[in-house]
Amino acid sequence: MLELIDKEGVKENVAAFNVGDTVKVHFKIVEGNKERVQGFEGLVIARKNGGVRETFTVRKISFGIGVERVFPVHSPRIEKIDVIRHGDVRRAKLYYIRDLSGKAATRVKEAKPKAAAKKAPAKTKAKVKETTA
């Protein structure tokens, strides 16, 4: 019963991103009777839960101060999520980045692009050694 309710709130077209990726979240903000879209660009340091309750935490450095914001993945207020860089990390949560400063606080090793299909090795002509007797 609860699964059916959860399925109604789950978005189908969510961008594929993981922890360590740099993303730009386009979020709708309501100010009085006006509505506008504001971007929040930073490093994804955590993803939690699953289904309709799934959230992710984005961290950026603004004027030398670390700012974190938690977004619900399936929120109707999120217009879109753009993945700017894919990061190559070995942890599920990057909370250690909170203790870093400077470039180290925003830099994560970039993931190498994966080849869509491996190319077949080029055929080489084997040299035939002729012997004369």
Side-chain angles (χ1 to χ4, degrees):
M1 186 91 163
L2 291 174
E3 291 174 7
L4 294 173
I5 296 169
D6 283 352
K7 285 183 183 178
E8 291 175 11
V10 174
K11 281 185 181 178
E12 296 284 328
N13 55 354
V14 176
F17 66 94
N18 289 315
V19 173
D21 293 352
T22 302
V23 296
K24 184 167 189 176
V25 182
H26 299 273
F27 199 72
K28 292 179 189 172
I29 305 238
V30 178
E31 294 173 333
N33 58 354
K34 295 179 186 176
E35 189 173 288
R36 64 185 178 89
V37 177
Q38 181 175 353
F40 190 90
E41 183 177 335
L43 181 68
V44 178
I45 63 169
R47 279 186 85 156
K48 288 186 178 180
N49 304 324
V52 77
R53 289 174 293 281
E54 186 175 5
T55 62
F56 63 102
T57 305
V58 180
R59 179 177 175 84
K60 73 174 184 175
I61 305 295
S62 179
F63 299 102
I65 309 265
V67 179
E68 289 184 10
R69 187 157 181 194
V70 179
F71 295 99
V73 173
H74 301 289
S75 170
R77 293 204 181 261
I78 291 183
E79 196 152 294
K80 66 179 177 176
I81 301 170
D82 293 332
V83 178
I84 296 169
R85 287 180 26 167
H86 290 283
D88 185 20
V89 295
R90 298 167 68 179
R91 296 174 182 267
K93 306 282 192 277
L94 303 180
Y95 294 142
Y96 68 90
I97 288 192
R98 294 172 176 166
D99 300 329
L100 301 177
S101 61
K103 280 187 181 179
T106 58
R107 295 283 168 94
V108 171
K109 188 168 74 170
E110 191 162 358
K112 295 178 183 175
K114 295 180 181 177
K118 291 186 177 180
K119 293 181 181 179
K123 293 181 181 179
T124 56
K125 293 181 181 179
K127 292 183 180 180
V128 178
K129 195 174 193 182
E130 290 183 27
T131 56
T132 55

